[in-house]
Amino acid sequence: MPAWRPSLTSPSTDRRWTIIRRYVEVQRGYLRNPLPAHAWICPTCRGVRGEGYSLCFRCQSHLTRSNGLLADLVLPISYSPRTGQHHHNLRTYKGTARSEQAQRSLLALLLLFLRDHLDCVAARTGASPTHVITVPSTRNSLGPHPLTDLVGARLRLPWIVSGVNPSYGSDDHDFHADWFSPALPPSPEPVHALILEDTWTTGARVQSLAYALKAAGATTVAAVVLGRHVDPTYPPARRLMDAITSPVFDTARCVLEAD
């Protein structure tokens, strides 16, 4: 991996953070801050919910099927319309022909967001993350997830590994309590897990992993997602697309601050 990438704990005066901010700055034209919770915006995933309902259909389904044992906090960094550049980056940073430009862009965005907003996670959950995990790939179980490779040791947190139930494929969009089997390390101290995910479409994999982490003994679970997928052709999403057409991405704002 390119050597310019600093750890999250590098001093704020480190010139590499200046480079990272420049990488994020050039993305501001196509990134879009998630909207605050609203009568038609789901407070969990920031997708569209029906007015009069507390959550969107998918998030309500996860809540019901898990008996409430879900992530304490979900923080999407940006919307990711299917026809946009952010969506393209999220597709091409992994796979057989990985784009280094997409990797640099996404890693810069993730590191800067975590540097500026990890305190927001601690404020909401009551504790700073002690361990980190990516949602295991259900498409190819060989080797670590590309996001794990991308982040590496930069967060200075120990990684949690997890098995995957092969009964559920990558096209499964439902919550399953037995989808993942994370191995929490033995520790006398509480485990506060940070899930990193590249794309949230239905949230089934993130919430299935959050359930498994809590069932395994994690005290709190927070999820940070690079892109909240939006399908512009889905009629209910058109209202959301209209709302995010013009604003330029604000690197200093997260959804908690928006709320």
Side-chain angles (χ1 to χ4, degrees):
M1 301 298 290
W4 66 271
R5 296 165 175 168
S7 75
L8 192 63
T9 53
S10 297
S12 59
T13 55
D14 191 321
R15 66 177 297 273
R16 289 172 296 183
W17 281 106
T18 302
I19 297 173
I20 280 182
R21 290 185 184 278
R22 288 174 182 168
Y23 265 87
V24 176
E25 185 68 24
V26 299
Q27 300 177 65
R28 290 180 67 217
Y30 58 78
L31 296 174
R32 291 293 182 267
N33 290 103
L35 296 172
H38 189 270
W40 54 276
I41 293 294
C42 178
T44 297
C45 72
R46 310 299 160 149
V48 177
R49 62 170 163 164
E51 295 196 30
Y53 292 89
S54 59
L55 300 170
C56 69
F57 171 79
R58 290 291 186 182
C59 288
Q60 183 60 56
S61 174
H62 304 332
L63 184 67
T64 301
R65 298 181 66 164
S66 70
N67 291 319
L69 204 61
L70 298 174
D72 300 285
L73 178 64
V74 176
L75 280 179
I77 298 176
S78 171
Y79 285 117
S80 176
R82 192 179 65 187
T83 54
Q85 180 63 40
H86 191 41
H87 177 78
H88 175 76
N89 288 345
L90 289 165
R91 287 178 58 89
T92 59
Y93 91 97
K94 55 189 177 181
T96 55
R98 300 181 182 184
S99 163
E100 185 173 321
Q101 180 62 46
Q103 289 181 332
R104 287 176 179 264
S105 295
L106 294 175
L107 183 60
L109 178 63
L110 179 60
L111 288 180
L112 186 62
F113 181 86
L114 290 176
R115 182 175 185 84
D116 290 348
H117 301 291
L118 210 53
D119 286 346
C120 300
V121 173
R124 178 62 66 91
T125 64
S128 297
T130 60
H131 295 74
V132 63
I133 183 172
T134 54
V135 180
S137 174
T138 53
R139 194 176 298 274
N140 182 4
S141 59
L142 298 177
H145 190 280
L147 194 54
T148 307
D149 273 343
L150 198 62
V151 174
R154 292 174 179 84
L155 302 189
R156 297 295 192 266
L157 295 175
W159 284 92
I160 299 172
V161 297
S162 176
V164 181
N165 187 338
S167 300
Y168 309 115
S170 58
D171 58 345
D172 196 313
H173 299 306
D174 293 322
F175 171 92
H176 297 289
D178 62 344
W179 201 341
F180 302 107
S181 51
L184 266 62
S187 172
E189 301 298 328
V191 171
H192 302 284
L194 175 65
I195 297 175
L196 300 180
E197 174 66 311
D198 48 25
T199 302
W200 176 295
T201 302
T202 67
R205 295 193 310 153
V206 170
Q207 295 291 30
S208 295
L209 179 58
Y211 175 93
L213 285 164
K214 286 195 167 182
T219 303
T220 65
V221 177
V224 171
V225 183
L226 276 161
R228 202 299 178 202
H229 178 76
V230 182
D231 181 359
T233 66
Y234 178 54
R238 291 172 186 166
R239 189 176 185 182
L240 188 155
M241 290 296 296
D242 288 343
I244 64 173
T245 297
S246 299
V248 173
F249 186 76
D250 182 356
T251 60
R253 196 187 82 185
C254 73
V255 291
L256 298 183
E257 294 159 332
D259 288 343

